[in-house]
Amino acid sequence: GMPESSYRIKHVLDFMPDGNDIVARDPRMIKLLKQSKNLAESEAPILILGETGVGKEVIAQWIHRNSFRCDKPFIVVDLTTIPENLMESELFGHEKGAFTGAHSQKIGRVELSEGGTLFFDEIGEIPIHLQSKLLRLLEKKSFMRVGGTKAKSADFRLVAATNRYLFDEVRAGRFREDLYYRLNTLELIVPPLRERKADIIALAEHFIAQDTRKYHKKLMKLTEQQKSVMKSYGWPGNVRELKNVIERAVLVAEDDR
């Protein structure tokens, strides 16, 4: 027999109605999900560490869904996709005419996350001049729009993720030490996919089911040989790479293989 509680988590994870299902079979992942569920109840910032593509945003959503803020927004700030000169306005918003091209007022991500969870993906990418503003936001729970004159209050739960070893960034002078300690109240480490052998096949089968539905193909089965090849491969791109590999394989498959 299997301990009832771990069955329950798997059960919950496989059948999340909103399409954000987390598939976990690996004992370390099941432990991590239970741990994140407990941390979700607190209001302290959480820092999620892990390689690129490992599913840090999925864990952040899971934290949000298990917190009392679950019916409020989950807002993502992906620092790798925002040009540096627009970051401040993306985060805090701007008033009309605040700078050339600011033709109307803009509501920033902080304001959009009111009452909910604000998720910073790749927090290590935040430029040093914005780090002080982020620190002030976390300490004072208030911010100003670019070009604004009045501070606005902010109520959100911060979850941040990084694929860098942030303390090295602190030592190199690229990341403020006070901000690092502020963010790193609670830490979660997501193991890379190559260390989660049981998850490789479970996730692959989950993606096959998803993609065969999406492309109107009949459900395909992995052969034992394919399974062993997949387990022995290193997956440098982690879950994201696996997802892409499966999607491509489903697309080019001729029969049900």
Side-chain angles (χ1 to χ4, degrees):
M2 201 169 158
E4 189 266 336
S5 60
S6 74
Y7 168 72
R8 196 169 58 239
I9 275 202
K10 288 182 186 176
H11 203 72
V12 169
L13 299 184
D14 281 347
F15 304 108
M16 279 189 175
D18 56 4
N20 286 326
D21 30 6
I22 300 181
V23 177
R25 288 281 176 274
D26 181 81
R28 271 173 76 186
M29 277 309 278
I30 289 172
K31 196 175 155 191
L32 177 75
L33 289 162
K34 284 181 176 166
Q35 200 187 350
S36 353
K37 201 170 177 171
N38 294 337
L39 297 186
E41 294 164 11
S42 91
E43 278 288 273
I46 292 181
L47 186 62
I48 304 172
L49 306 176
E51 294 176 5
T52 302
V54 77
K56 297 186 292 285
E57 185 176 336
V58 176
I59 300 289
Q61 287 173 347
W62 166 253
I63 290 166
H64 175 70
R65 281 203 307 271
N66 284 288
S67 75
F68 71 85
R69 295 175 176 270
C70 59
D71 53 349
K72 294 284 195 292
F74 175 85
I75 300 292
V76 178
V77 180
D78 180 353
L79 291 161
T80 57
T81 60
I82 304 169
E84 195 172 318
N85 60 333
L86 294 179
M87 265 184 200
E88 191 173 351
S89 137
E90 273 299 319
L91 279 178
F92 303 115
H94 62 243
E95 299 297 354
K96 185 176 175 175
F99 50 85
T100 314
H103 301 304
S104 57
Q105 187 194 62
K106 178 188 168 77
I107 305 292
R109 310 275 171 103
V110 170
E111 223 168 316
L112 291 171
S113 72
E114 185 63 23
T117 303
L118 184 62
F119 173 58
F120 275 89
D121 205 0
E122 300 310 348
I123 190 86
E125 303 287 332
I126 192 164
I128 203 101
H129 71 274
L130 270 185
Q131 291 176 19
S132 52
K133 294 196 165 156
L134 180 58
L135 185 65
R136 201 181 82 215
L137 172 71
L138 293 174
E139 285 176 345
K140 303 255 192 299
K141 290 288 187 200
S142 75
F143 67 98
M144 261 156 104
R145 289 190 191 138
V146 179
T149 49
K150 218 163 99 230
K152 302 181 75 68
S153 71
D155 168 33
F156 60 87
R157 197 293 172 71
L158 184 96
V159 182
T162 180
N163 63 0
R164 300 185 185 183
Y165 189 58
L166 274 190
F167 200 70
D168 285 350
E169 301 289 305
V170 170
R171 276 197 294 243
R174 285 187 296 265
F175 205 86
R176 287 180 64 124
E177 192 169 4
D178 46 7
L179 179 58
Y180 169 74
Y181 285 117
R182 186 79 214 206
L183 292 171
N184 199 5
T185 319
L186 303 169
E187 195 175 83
L188 289 169
I189 299 170
V190 188
L193 185 58
R194 62 185 167 275
E195 290 174 17
R196 294 149 48 185
K197 300 286 188 209
D199 283 356
I200 294 173
I201 304 307
L203 281 162
E205 288 173 340
H206 168 75
F207 292 140
I208 290 169
Q210 234 178 28
D211 292 337
T212 46
R213 271 200 308 274
K214 183 170 157 188
Y215 298 113
H216 309 293
K217 295 197 160 199
K218 49 180 193 256
L219 188 64
M220 303 174 194
K221 283 259 187 287
L222 290 169
T223 65
E224 288 311 309
Q225 198 234 342
Q226 285 170 330
K227 285 182 190 177
S228 73
V229 168
M230 287 171 82
K231 279 188 194 161
S232 58
Y233 174 63
W235 300 107
N238 292 294
V239 182
R240 191 178 297 138
E241 182 185 2
L242 174 65
K243 192 179 193 320
N244 292 341
V245 164
I246 295 294
E247 185 159 13
R248 210 166 46 234
V250 168
L251 272 172
V252 301
E254 293 294 322
D255 310 307
D256 51 358
R257 284 272 309 267

